[in-house]
Amino acid sequence: MYIKYFLSFLLCFSIFINSAFADNNIDSLERQLALSDELSKIDVLLALSKAYWSVSPSKGLLYSDEAVILAKKHNSKYKEAKALLYGGVNAYYLGDYEKSIKYYQKSLVIAKEIHDIRLLAYNLNNLGMVNSYLKNYKKAINNYSESSLIMKELGDEIEYAKIINNIGELNMILGNYDEALANNLSILKIIEKSDEQNLLLWLLNDIGCIYSKKKNYEKALYYLFKSLKISNEIDDNVGKTKVLNRIGVVFLKQKNYKKAKEYFYKGLEFAKKSDTKENIKESYKNLSDYYAEINNYKKSLDYYKLYKQVSDSILSENKINKIVEMQTRYESESKEKENNLLRKKNEVKELLIEKQTYLRNFLIVLFVLSMLLIVFIYNRLSIKRKISRELEEKNNLITAQKNKLAETLRILQETNIELVHQKREIQSTAEKLTTTNEKLQELNATKNRFFSIIAHDLKSPFNAMIGFSELLISQFDELDISTQKNSISILSQSIQNAYRLLENLLTWSRSQMGNISFKPEEENINLLTNEAIKMLSQLAKNKKISLLNKIPVDLFVFVDSNMFSTIIRNLISNAIKFTPKGGVIEVNSQLVNNKNKEKYVEISIKDNGIGIAPEIQSKLFNITESHSTQGTEKEKGTGLGLIICKEFVEKHGGKIWVESEKGKGSKFVFTLPMI
């Protein structure tokens, strides 16, 4: 708690401690000032301002003001900011806190402008001290916090710790004991590692006081005794007095009257040795409280009277100091006004001489300019007459050339219009050729795909049918019943595959030729899906696959029933092909809205089959990409079914896509608009 005044003094005197002009020998500085040139005088004035702030702050303020004027004259922003900072310190010691704040704020602005963050930190710290004294505690905490961040950035641990201790003291005043404790404990190790024993003494004392306020008396005594040990080591009687009194207060709160009395008397002993009235007053007050606590009211009254006597003595001294301070301030302000008046008179005199010089020089320059103007005007008139004649001749020539150029320009414009027209025709022809070429390429790819399917995919099932039929014809009697059934089953499967492939080829062919009529009507898609499942049920049964229709029974959509059945049939057939035995295939639906809030029904066919690799997914719906993958039972496919699905879905104004992961099954999804 009592570190406030110590830190105020310490921080102010630590400003620019490494300055080359920190010599406090005032007489030497005064002599040096008389011998210095104007530029060197700024540094001497700064040193005098610093030297006087604890001796005669009114003089220190005058010197800092003079340093500000000279620094501005020589455009030295750093020295101007430094002079304003010193002015703020002198105003603080004079007790003129408003003026002190103004000086610091001006210095702060310049420090930001020249990016001197250390100077900025000093100003913020000093503003914190002034606001703390004025009880503007929130402003003070903000000032200290900004300053501490800068000091931390600069790596100045000791200055950082001092500022955090100031914040802790303010939190203590505001009753924020937990925050105050956190502030002080956070810097304890920094101070313990340093040589700042005096600062450590007061920091430990502060921590002990906070624990006492929090009624944690054991910890309070732990830190107070550590503080007492340091005060004994450095032989600081003021520190001893404060700590002894604080220990006595803690013992009194614990009702350990014997210990409380012992430490109060020790505190009084050292207070008298240090001859500090504030400490003597505190000791008398503590002893008065102690004797009142043990019901010895006579002694309590005796010490209270002594406490009042010392308090009155301090009050009288403060009043005298206040009067002296006011007188000093008045003399300072009077002298400042006189200096300002003399300065203004000198400025007026200098301005008058400067004005007369300017007037004389102006008349000379005016005369010379007048003569030059007369010569110039005469010369210009002669040149003008000559130029006028030349211009008239050139103007006639230019007019003739202009007419000729106009005719040429007209011809060029007509030619340009014709060229633009020709260019547009060429561009239009090129665009048509490009479109035609693209369509030809697409048709060529379609033709190649078609013949590829006929040449390979349609041929394969017929080869199987021929092979098994010949086997059955030639060896039927030799084969057992099981082998016969198996061969007939394979033959049947080949026939079905060939039929589905042929059906897809015919459907696709009709679609490409535009021979498929598109007649959408309101249909129950649950029933259409059931019909498709019924057609494929035997194929699913062969692989023991469950087909589940989860589409609501009352879902009606405006679709072409033949196209919808083809889409569902192809997608379920594919799912059966790539789903292992015992798998499950689900057909689901849900209503969705697109970005334009248009309603769609989203239908999905989901299996738990082998899945599709990402590089294959992009090829599934592209006619130009030839890709075929065998099913789980070595079933073959052409990929034509998905291409038909895509065309039919887009015919309805919908979209189709696949969501799949290798080894985790696939989900084919398509949308149909709700009309």
Side-chain angles (χ1 to χ4, degrees):
M1 284 291 293
Y2 304 100
I3 197 167
K4 177 179 177 181
Y5 303 106
F6 167 74
L7 283 179
S8 297
F9 175 82
L10 184 63
L11 284 171
C12 289
F13 272 84
S14 67
I15 298 171
F16 299 105
I17 197 70
N18 295 319
S19 172
F21 299 95
D23 185 6
N24 287 327
N25 189 330
I26 293 172
D27 292 337
S28 173
L29 288 169
E30 294 280 9
R31 287 193 297 273
Q32 191 177 342
L33 183 65
L35 299 172
S36 299
D37 58 36
E38 199 171 71
L39 194 59
S40 303
K41 193 178 284 187
I42 301 172
D43 295 316
V44 182
L45 288 168
L46 287 171
L48 280 166
S49 175
K50 182 178 177 182
Y52 270 118
W53 73 36
S54 58
V55 179
S56 176
S58 57
K59 284 187 178 181
L61 192 59
L62 290 173
Y63 283 125
S64 66
D65 286 343
E66 194 173 346
V68 169
I69 293 166
L70 288 177
K72 281 182 178 179
K73 184 177 178 181
H74 291 279
N75 197 30
S76 175
K77 291 286 186 183
Y78 171 72
K79 289 181 180 178
E80 182 185 349
K82 190 173 176 181
L84 287 166
L85 177 64
Y86 285 6
V89 178
N90 280 295
Y92 176 81
Y93 279 110
L94 276 171
D96 192 342
Y97 303 111
E98 294 301 323
K99 181 180 278 190
S100 178
I101 289 172
K102 287 178 182 178
Y103 275 100
Y104 290 143
Q105 287 175 338
K106 287 179 181 179
S107 180
L108 196 70
V109 170
I110 298 171
K112 286 180 181 178
E113 184 183 335
I114 62 176
H115 306 294
D116 191 320
I117 59 172
R118 184 174 287 277
L119 191 60
L120 183 66
Y122 286 140
N123 275 291
L124 287 167
N125 182 62
N126 289 7
L127 277 169
M129 288 194 294
V130 178
N131 280 317
S132 176
Y133 188 87
L134 295 174
K135 298 184 179 180
N136 297 327
Y137 297 125
K138 288 187 178 179
K139 282 186 179 180
I141 288 176
N142 288 336
N143 295 144
Y144 285 140
S145 297
E146 286 187 60
S147 181
S148 68
L149 289 174
I150 294 170
M151 286 301 180
K152 190 174 184 180
E153 185 182 338
L154 290 170
D156 193 334
E157 288 190 332
I158 299 302
E159 290 299 326
Y160 167 77
K162 292 174 182 177
I163 297 166
I164 294 298
N165 183 252
N166 283 348
I167 295 172
E169 184 184 348
L170 290 179
N171 277 320
M172 181 77 166
I173 292 168
L174 293 169
N176 303 327
Y177 300 129
D178 290 336
E179 291 181 28
L181 187 61
N183 292 140
N184 287 326
L185 288 175
S186 70
I187 59 170
L188 183 58
K189 287 185 179 179
I190 295 172
I191 303 304
E192 284 177 337
K193 288 190 292 184
S194 72
D195 296 328
E196 300 281 346
Q197 290 296 298
N198 203 295
L199 181 56
L200 181 59
L201 183 159
W202 294 108
L203 179 61
L204 291 167
N205 181 65
D206 278 358
I207 295 170
C209 290
I210 296 168
Y211 275 121
S212 177
K213 289 285 186 183
K214 288 168 67 67
K215 297 183 180 180
N216 189 338
Y217 300 125
E218 287 185 13
K219 282 198 173 183
L221 289 172
Y222 171 76
Y223 283 101
L224 288 170
F225 276 116
K226 285 184 74 173
S227 178
L228 182 61
K229 181 183 177 184
I230 293 170
S231 67
N232 287 327
E233 289 173 358
I234 63 175
D235 197 24
D236 184 338
N237 287 336
V238 174
K240 289 177 190 177
T241 303
K242 292 291 184 185
V243 179
L244 287 165
N245 272 304
R246 186 53 51 199
I247 292 171
V249 169
V250 175
F251 279 130
L252 187 61
K253 287 179 180 179
Q254 291 182 316
K255 301 195 181 300
N256 188 339
Y257 300 123
K258 184 178 179 182
K259 287 284 186 183
K261 178 182 178 182
E262 176 188 343
Y263 283 96
F264 284 148
Y265 274 109
K266 284 183 181 179
L268 179 60
E269 177 188 345
F270 285 107
K272 288 178 178 179
K273 281 183 181 179
S274 61
D275 194 26
T276 50
K277 290 185 178 180
E278 283 289 345
N279 290 345
I280 294 170
K281 180 183 79 169
E282 183 185 3
S283 295
Y284 285 150
K285 179 67 170 63
N286 287 336
L287 283 166
S288 175
D289 292 343
Y290 160 72
Y291 280 112
E293 185 72 19
I294 63 172
N295 300 323
N296 189 341
Y297 298 112
K298 183 179 180 304
K299 278 202 172 186
S300 175
L301 181 61
D302 291 340
Y303 277 109
Y304 186 77
K305 287 178 181 178
L306 290 170
Y307 160 75
K308 285 296 291 178
Q309 286 174 8
V310 177
S311 295
D312 292 341
S313 172
I314 292 170
L315 186 62
S316 298
E317 286 180 6
N318 288 340
K319 285 180 179 177
I320 292 166
N321 290 336
K322 194 72 176 176
I323 292 167
V324 171
E325 182 184 302
M326 289 175 67
Q327 185 177 351
T328 304
R329 192 187 303 176
Y330 172 75
E331 289 173 357
S332 171
E333 289 175 355
S334 298
K335 190 169 182 181
E336 187 177 352
K337 286 177 182 178
E338 287 176 11
N339 288 339
N340 288 335
L341 186 61
L342 286 170
R343 195 180 297 113
K344 285 179 181 178
K345 283 181 179 179
N346 288 333
E347 287 175 359
V348 169
K349 189 176 179 181
E350 287 176 0
L351 284 171
L352 187 60
I353 293 168
E354 189 176 351
K355 186 177 178 182
Q356 289 173 348
T357 304
Y358 282 150
L359 182 60
R360 182 193 64 201
N361 292 340
F362 174 74
L363 290 172
I364 293 169
V365 170
L366 184 62
F367 175 75
V368 173
L369 287 175
S370 298
M371 294 304 295
L372 289 172
L373 185 61
I374 291 168
V375 173
F376 175 75
I377 291 170
Y378 176 77
N379 188 47
R380 291 300 296 171
L381 285 171
S382 300
I383 294 169
K384 188 177 179 181
R385 284 194 294 269
K386 183 180 179 182
I387 290 172
S388 181
R389 288 193 299 270
E390 292 176 355
L391 283 174
E392 189 175 355
E393 292 171 2
K394 288 181 180 180
N395 190 49
N396 293 332
L397 181 62
I398 289 167
T399 301
Q401 290 175 344
K402 183 179 178 183
N403 293 333
K404 189 176 179 180
L405 283 170
E407 179 63 21
T408 305
L409 181 61
R410 185 186 63 78
I411 294 168
L412 286 172
Q413 285 175 339
E414 289 175 358
T415 305
N416 187 53
I417 290 168
E418 188 176 348
L419 287 171
V420 169
H421 181 68
Q422 290 176 356
K423 182 182 177 183
R424 285 175 182 166
E425 287 181 351
I426 291 167
Q427 286 177 339
S428 176
T429 304
E431 287 172 1
K432 288 177 182 176
L433 287 171
T434 302
T435 304
T436 303
N437 186 50
E438 288 174 355
K439 286 182 179 177
L440 286 171
Q441 287 178 350
E442 186 177 344
L443 287 170
N444 189 50
T446 303
K447 179 201 71 175
N448 292 339
R449 181 71 167 144
F450 186 78
F451 284 123
S452 171
I453 291 167
I454 291 172
H456 181 267
D457 296 313
L458 189 58
K459 184 179 176 183
S460 295
F462 280 106
N463 286 336
M465 285 187 281
I466 292 167
F468 277 101
S469 62
E470 286 178 352
L471 177 67
L472 288 170
I473 291 167
S474 63
Q475 300 180 19
F476 186 81
D477 295 331
E478 298 172 9
L479 298 173
D480 56 38
I481 297 299
S482 175
T483 305
Q484 289 174 359
K485 284 183 178 180
N486 185 51
S487 298
I488 292 168
S489 175
I490 293 170
L491 183 61
S492 174
Q493 184 67 43
S494 297
I495 293 167
Q496 288 178 30
N497 289 341
Y499 176 75
R500 281 195 296 273
L501 177 58
L502 187 60
E503 186 181 30
N504 277 337
L505 279 170
L506 291 172
T507 302
W508 181 50
S509 176
R510 287 168 62 205
S511 172
Q512 296 301 307
M513 294 170 69
N515 292 335
I516 295 180
S517 60
F518 178 60
K519 295 179 181 179
E521 294 179 356
E522 192 173 50
E523 298 284 354
N524 186 317
I525 61 173
N526 176 275
L527 293 178
L528 294 176
T529 304
N530 277 337
E531 288 174 7
I533 289 174
K534 189 175 181 181
M535 291 176 66
L536 298 166
S537 59
Q538 186 58 45
L539 190 63
K541 189 177 180 181
N542 291 341
K543 294 181 74 173
K544 298 179 181 179
I545 292 171
S546 299
L547 298 178
L548 305 177
N549 181 5
K550 293 189 176 181
I551 297 175
V553 294
D554 59 348
L555 181 59
F556 286 83
V557 182
F558 208 67
V559 295
D560 183 300
S561 58
N562 290 327
M563 287 188 179
F564 180 83
S565 297
T566 301
I567 296 165
I568 285 290
R569 190 168 62 252
N570 273 296
L571 293 177
I572 295 175
S573 176
N574 275 357
I576 292 170
K577 186 189 300 182
F578 296 107
T579 300
K581 287 184 177 180
V584 178
I585 297 170
E586 294 180 4
V587 183
N588 287 291
S589 68
Q590 63 174 343
L591 296 179
V592 295
N593 292 331
N594 66 4
K595 291 187 290 185
N596 299 323
K597 297 185 177 179
E598 295 171 335
K599 289 187 177 180
Y600 280 78
V601 61
E602 188 177 276
I603 299 168
S604 63
I605 295 84
K606 182 181 178 182
D607 63 61
N608 58 351
I610 60 177
I612 306 169
E615 63 271 14
I616 296 173
Q617 291 179 30
S618 60
K619 300 176 182 179
L620 292 178
F621 302 103
N622 193 345
I623 186 65
T624 61
E625 298 284 349
S626 177
H627 181 81
S628 178
T629 304
Q630 287 189 338
T632 56
E633 298 294 320
K634 307 299 182 184
E635 302 100 322
K636 293 184 179 180
T638 64
L640 186 59
L642 289 176
I643 293 164
I644 293 170
C645 288
K646 181 174 184 290
E647 288 187 12
F648 284 2
V649 169
E650 289 177 350
K651 194 85 171 176
H652 283 82
K655 294 181 179 179
I656 186 167
W657 67 92
V658 63
E659 298 170 4
S660 181
E661 189 175 342
K662 191 73 174 173
K664 293 187 179 180
S666 304
K667 183 166 84 169
F668 282 82
V669 187
F670 66 95
T671 60
L672 298 171
M674 298 287 290
I675 299 174

